């Protein structure tokens, strides 16, 4: 646990630096310095894009191609999916629950932080970002120490503890996304509504949620994908009778079932990709703001 | 004389700085008062405090017979019978013209239709704000403020960004609305020419205070200090030309 302290300190310093230099802007724009045409190819932006493509190819594309090469056909792929169908179902259900709960919590927190902007909101925001610096194993150990008691065993011994672990791990991501989404919604939009004599949940439903829906969908997708692949904290807190797909893959690796492991790994990648592609298509067709 | 709004020694602090420094102002029932002052002098804060979005640190605001703001009282904005048009209009980007009005008018279709017609928006009911021209957006913001049947309308530089022809048309429209609805209007601007075309009575504001109140002729003839003379100088020069 103590080993995580330098990480926490480093995270706090980085948060302070980010807040100092970015303030509360919802996004930053990186431009090629206004140069047009071939000048862009010699700009720092082009160099950065090239480095990104190289890193992306080495860390994402090559491993995925390697997985495909190891699977040796659809038959093995479907056989692996059939073997782990229970784990797939549990993982998807868990990811859906985590995405919904984390995004809901993050949205209300983000609203409070964004509209408050005072000492308590700043402290809560920083505290949430510090969760980001905790390694998965530290999160798992902290949860075991906190919940593994006779009086809280109704949570510790059930899937709820995995949900809590995932919320702890992914809340910072959802919070950043929701704060960015809400920063673009002018407070005056609510004030006009207030003058008309409407307040509370209707204000949220009529005025805040519609413009914020893109950030909510992004947050849901990010939390779903991250939860789908989480293994570090899940391994430590997973209750008896529950096994997620990443945990299953982790167990199978010890038995040397390479083709099955590769197939299930590929299935995880495909599921995440499907989520991302669906969101992008839906966003473009239906939910795109006018 | 019957005052609709009476503001006494109003002070407002925002984020540690004193924005309003003892504002005294009386607005008559059914009049259009223009507040003229340079950017950053506290005009918007004054309107926001009248609307109930800011709380005074000192002083008092009375609307009709009711004290709506002082150190102990804060009547919420929705109970003040106030409509407001913000400088950037604050239109809801996800709602059509029709939905804008439906949402605040409690689905009073008759009122909505009459206001849409009066503000020449009847053929734009299905349009979203991004599909409207600048002038139409301004009229939508005014329509949205009117459908709540306010007794007081606060206009915070509502015609900024419009060309002079549109501004003229919009000002004429506002005057007509004031007559038809018998509504009290406070109109804030930093533009002397816009002010001179709009108002009957003027309040000159600087550095968080109301410096002088009067008709344009009074202010031009007997400016209370150098600031009032300077801010009205373009009008004097224009009149001489």
């Amino acid at each position: 646990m103590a080993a995580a302290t330098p990480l926490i300190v480093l995270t706090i310093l980085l948060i302070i630096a980010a807040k100092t230099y970015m303030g509360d802007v919802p996004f930053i724009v990186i431009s090629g310095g206004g140069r047009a045409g071939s000048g862009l190819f010699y700009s720092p932006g082009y160099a950065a894009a090239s480095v990104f493509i190289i890193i992306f190819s080495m860390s994402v594309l090559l491993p995925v191609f390697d997985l495909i090469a190891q699977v040796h056909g659809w038959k093995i792929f479907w056989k692996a999916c059939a073997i782990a169908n229970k784990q797939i179902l549990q993982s998807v259900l868990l990811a859906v629950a985590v995405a919904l709960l984390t995004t809901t919590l993050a949205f209300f927190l983000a609203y409070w932080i964004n509209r408050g902007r005072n000492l308590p909101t700043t402290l809560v925001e920083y505290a949430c970002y510090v969760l980001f610096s905790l390694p998965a194993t530290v999160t798992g150990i902290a949860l075991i120490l906190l919940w593994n008691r006779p009086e809280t065993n109704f949570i510790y011994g059930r899937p709820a503890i995995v949900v809590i672990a995932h919320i702890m791990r992914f809340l910072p991501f959802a919070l950043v996304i929701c704060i960015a989404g809400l920063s673009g919604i002018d407070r005056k939009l609510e004030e006009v509504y207030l003058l008309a004599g409407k307040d509370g949940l209707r204000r949220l439903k009529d005025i805040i949620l519609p413009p914020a829906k893109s950030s909510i969908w992004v947050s849901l997708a990010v939390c779903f994908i991250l939860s789908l692949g989480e293994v570090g904290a899940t391994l430590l807190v997973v209750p008896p009778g529950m096994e997620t797909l990443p945990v299953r893959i982790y167990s199978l690796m010890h038995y040397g079932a390479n083709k099955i492991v590769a197939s299930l790994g590929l299935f995880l990648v495909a599921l995440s990709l499907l989520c991302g592609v669906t969101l992008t298509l839906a966003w473009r067709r239906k939910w795109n703001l006018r | 004389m019957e005052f609709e709004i009476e503001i006494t020694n109003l002070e407002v602090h925002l984020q540690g700085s004193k924005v309003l420094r003892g504002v005294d102002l009386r607005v008559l029932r059914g009049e259009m008062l223009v507040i003229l002052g340079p950017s950053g002098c506290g005009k918007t804060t004054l309107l926001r405090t009248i609307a109930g979005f800011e709380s005074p640190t000192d002083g008092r605001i009375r609307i009709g017979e009711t004290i709506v703001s002082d150190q102990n009282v804060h009547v919420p904005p929705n109970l003040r019978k106030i409509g407001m048009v913000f400088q950037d209009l604050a239109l809801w980007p996800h709602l059509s013209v029709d939905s804008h009005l439906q949402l605040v008018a409690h689905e009073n279709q008759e009122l909505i239709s009459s206001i849409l017609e009066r503000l020449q928006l009847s053929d734009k009911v299905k349009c979203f704000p991004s599909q409207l021209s600048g002038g139409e957006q301004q009229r939508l913001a005014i329509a949205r403020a009117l459908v709540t049947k306010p007794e007081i309308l606060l206009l915070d530089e509502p015609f900024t960004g419009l060309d002079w022809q549109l501004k003229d048309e919009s000002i004429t429209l506002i005057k007509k609305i004031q007559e038809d609805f018998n509504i009290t209007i406070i109109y804030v601007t930093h533009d002397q020419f816009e002010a001179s075309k709009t108002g009957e009575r003027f309040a000159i504001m600087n550095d968080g205070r109301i410096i002088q109140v009067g008709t344009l002729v009074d202010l031009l003839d007997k400016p209370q200090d150098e600031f009032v003379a300077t801010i009205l100088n373009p009008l004097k020069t224009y009149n001489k030309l």
Side-chain angles (χ1 to χ4, degrees):
Chain A
M1 292 287 276
T5 310
L7 274 175
I8 295 170
V9 172
L10 188 64
T11 308
I12 292 170
L13 290 176
L14 286 172
I15 294 167
I16 292 169
K19 286 277 164 196
T20 308
Y21 292 109
M22 278 187 69
D24 292 323
V25 294
F27 55 84
I28 56 166
V29 177
I30 302 168
S31 76
R35 280 177 291 171
S38 60
L40 185 67
F41 291 100
Y42 304 104
S43 68
Y46 180 67
S50 307
V51 171
F52 170 76
I53 289 167
I54 292 167
I55 293 172
F56 183 76
S57 305
M58 289 174 70
S59 59
V60 179
L61 293 181
L62 279 178
V64 170
F65 285 133
D66 188 47
L67 283 178
I68 294 169
Q70 283 190 43
V71 171
H72 290 300
W74 287 106
K75 206 174 169 183
I76 291 172
F77 181 80
W78 292 123
K79 189 183 161 193
C81 291
I83 289 171
N85 63 358
K86 193 181 155 204
Q87 288 77 15
I88 289 172
L89 182 67
Q90 286 192 355
S91 280
V92 170
L93 289 177
L94 174 71
V96 168
V98 168
L100 286 172
L101 290 171
T102 312
T103 301
T104 307
L105 178 63
F107 181 80
F108 283 104
L109 261 179
Y111 184 78
W112 178 64
I113 289 167
N114 188 262
R115 295 307 194 238
R117 288 288 168 215
N118 47 35
L119 186 64
T121 61
T122 308
L123 290 176
V124 170
E125 189 183 0
Y126 277 38
C128 289
Y129 293 152
V130 166
L131 290 176
F132 176 63
S133 65
L134 294 179
T137 43
V138 174
T139 306
I141 293 166
L143 285 172
I144 291 169
L145 292 175
L146 186 67
W147 294 95
N148 189 13
R149 304 155 195 263
E151 58 269 26
T152 53
N153 217 30
F154 66 97
I155 287 177
Y156 185 73
R158 299 198 176 176
I161 193 70
V162 185
V163 174
I164 292 172
H166 285 207
I167 290 175
M168 264 184 81
R169 297 223 53 217
F170 309 132
L171 184 65
F173 298 97
L175 192 64
V176 167
I177 294 165
C178 290
I179 286 180
L182 287 169
S183 300
I185 302 170
D186 195 334
R187 189 190 290 249
K188 287 197 278 278
L189 300 189
E190 291 177 75
E191 289 177 343
V192 175
Y193 196 69
L194 204 60
L195 277 176
K198 297 185 176 182
D199 202 2
L201 283 178
R202 283 202 66 181
R203 177 165 44 140
L204 202 67
K205 177 184 143 283
D206 292 337
I207 304 300
I208 301 299
L209 280 178
K213 68 187 167 193
S214 6
S215 57
I216 291 170
W217 280 109
V218 171
S219 170
L220 283 170
V222 166
C223 292
F224 178 84
I225 290 169
L226 290 174
S227 173
L228 210 57
E230 214 285 334
V231 70
T234 313
L235 259 180
L236 292 171
V237 297
V238 71
M242 183 183 180
E243 193 179 33
T244 63
L245 187 56
V247 172
R248 180 75 172 151
I249 293 171
Y250 187 77
S251 311
L252 284 169
M253 279 171 71
H254 294 289
Y255 301 114
N258 286 344
K259 287 178 187 175
I260 303 289
V261 168
S263 300
L264 293 178
L266 209 56
F267 182 82
L268 261 183
V269 172
L271 207 56
S272 303
L273 213 58
L274 183 72
C275 177
V277 171
T278 309
L279 179 76
T280 310
L281 290 177
W283 192 352
R284 281 191 183 168
R285 285 185 189 170
K286 193 175 174 185
W287 293 303
N288 204 7
L289 283 178
R290 282 169 191 278
Chain B
M1 253 187 278
E2 200 177 6
F3 296 120
E4 178 81 61
I5 306 170
E6 192 174 32
I7 299 167
T8 315
N9 192 33
L10 189 72
E11 286 190 8
V12 174
H13 291 211
L14 291 180
Q15 293 165 341
S17 67
K18 219 176 193 180
V19 184
L20 299 184
R21 301 158 180 267
V23 170
D24 287 298
L25 185 66
R26 281 158 191 80
V27 186
L28 300 170
R29 182 157 293 167
E31 81 162 327
M32 170 131 68
L33 179 85
V34 177
I35 299 178
L36 176 66
S39 298
C41 72
K43 305 185 294 289
T44 298
T45 305
L46 177 58
L47 287 197
R48 290 179 59 79
T49 313
I50 295 171
F53 296 131
E54 311 291 350
S55 295
T57 40
D58 200 4
R60 190 182 69 200
I61 299 174
R62 189 173 60 76
I63 294 178
E65 298 302 317
T66 316
I67 292 172
V68 292
S69 283
D70 67 12
Q71 284 74 61
N72 306 315
V73 178
H74 180 84
V75 175
N78 55 310
L79 298 180
R80 296 186 181 206
K81 293 187 179 170
I82 282 177
M84 187 164 177
V85 177
F86 290 91
Q87 187 174 2
D88 57 6
L89 306 179
L91 297 174
W92 298 311
H94 57 286
L95 294 181
S96 65
V97 169
D98 196 32
S99 307
H100 263 83
L101 306 191
Q102 297 271 10
L103 204 60
V104 293
H106 307 283
E107 295 175 4
N108 185 344
Q109 197 54 52
E110 205 176 312
L111 177 68
I112 290 172
S113 302
S114 95
I115 285 177
L116 281 173
E117 201 172 317
R118 200 178 291 242
L119 292 173
Q120 299 149 38
L121 287 169
S122 300
D123 56 339
K124 301 280 180 184
V125 284
K126 295 293 166 209
C127 292
F128 286 84
S130 60
Q131 297 167 314
L132 300 174
S133 69
E136 287 164 348
Q137 288 183 359
Q138 317 271 0
R139 295 207 296 276
L140 173 58
I142 294 166
R144 182 179 58 184
L146 287 175
V147 288
T148 59
K149 296 187 197 166
E151 288 174 5
I152 297 162
L153 187 60
L154 307 176
L155 303 173
D156 186 7
E157 309 207 27
F159 305 131
T160 306
L162 294 188
D163 62 45
W164 259 109
Q165 194 188 338
L166 262 180
K167 237 180 216 184
D168 265 355
E169 285 172 21
S170 304
I171 288 167
T172 310
L173 180 73
I174 287 289
K175 285 179 170 175
K176 185 88 174 59
I177 284 168
Q178 191 212 359
E179 282 170 23
D180 294 352
F181 287 81
N182 190 28
I183 204 168
T184 306
I185 296 180
I186 301 182
Y187 187 103
V188 153
T189 181
H190 67 273
D191 184 321
Q192 297 90 337
F193 293 101
E194 189 181 323
S196 69
K197 282 176 184 287
T198 311
E200 300 147 5
R201 231 156 51 92
F202 299 82
I204 309 295
M205 192 169 181
N206 187 33
D207 198 23
R209 289 190 189 88
I210 299 289
I211 310 290
Q212 192 174 354
V213 181
T215 62
L216 193 57
V217 177
D218 289 345
L219 295 172
L220 284 170
D221 287 350
K222 295 170 199 159
Q224 193 171 301
D225 62 14
E226 205 178 323
F227 176 80
V228 178
T230 310
I231 200 167
L232 295 175
N233 201 33
L235 291 177
K236 217 166 190 174
T237 313
Y238 181 76
N239 284 343
K240 277 179 190 167
L241 288 174

